[in-house]
Amino acid sequence: MDRPGVYDAVVVGGGIAGLSAALVLGRARRRVLVIDGGTPRNAPADAAFGFTTRDGTTPEHLVALGRAELEPYGVRFLDGVVDGVLVDGSDDRTGVWTVATTDGATAQGRHLILASGLRDVLPEVPGARETWGRGLLQCPYCHGWEVRDQALGVIGCTDASPAQALLLRQWSADVTYFPHLLGPVPEEDARRLRVRGVRVVDGTVREFVPDEAPDGGSPRALVAVRVDDGSADGERVPCIAVFCEPGADAGSPLVSSLGCELRDDGCIVTDRLGRASRERVWAVGNAADPAAHLVTAAGDAYRTAVAVNAVLVREDCATVPDTGGVVGESV
């Protein structure tokens, strides 16, 4: 289909998932535009871990490497935040999406791939936002090695939090579980925590106590957790890192305007190929799965991009008239 100015796919989000999808489609000789707002979910972290050949690479460098790899394939980039979308045509299955950014730029694409990630919903505890990504962490597999053999904690956020504390014990013998707002620990969970050697400190977490910033900047590391024990100051429990299971919110003006179905965890509902509930809309990475790590997000985006290209081929066959000649022959 030769529609001047219309991309085969517009990828919203330029993190690992978005860049992976763009790479596959670019190599398939599709016209691809990546629109990126420059705020990846892992930006607060010092480095990304567990990505083979890139273990310990900073998030910014990973993105730079990904962008450089796309240059030979003609993938275009547009810096901006998409805040709305329109469909050109009465039928979602054949129309063209027009996306608009907050600064007034527009672009058209036959398919949309949402790789815009999500917003982590952190515990409502003073110090959480300030220490997120270095002192307050989510994934032991991503950051457990860096804080191994030190005083660690887990704050109760979901029913899975006791299991997270059991898991974290693999990295340190000094692990404290704070049930926080979850209330008393269920008997079987309490037994497992005892067997695993995890200390339980009851009471509401009052504060994540940050370390003093050595350069006078914003503090990011932790030194302790302060728990409300009925006293004026509360109990101070030493912890250099606390792990939590944050909530997820993949919502945005774009997702709202599309009307995509969302799961209870706030992410976009997709089928196994990444197809959203709206025709010609796909979701990859954390936009569809809050637990997707870098490797998982890249792999899922690869699979989705292959599926998008297959649909584009079918659309091309359905819309290009059959002239009775040989493909590529002049008529």
Side-chain angles (χ1 to χ4, degrees), residues 14 26 31 61 101 113 134 155 161 169 183 193 204 214 293 318:
R31 293 169 294 186
H61 189 46
T101 65
I113 300 177
R134 293 187 186 172
I155 181 172
S161 293
R169 177 63 178 77
L193 291 167
T204 303
H293 297 229

Side-chain angles (χ1 to χ4, degrees), residues 16 42-43 45-66 142-143 146 294:
I16 291 299
N42 62 356
D46 286 330
F49 299 99
F51 197 144
T52 184
T53 76
R54 291 292 180 264
D55 188 56
T57 304
T58 65
E60 311 90 78
H61 189 46
L62 276 178
V63 169
L65 290 171
C142 296
H143 301 288
E146 283 63 45
L294 291 175

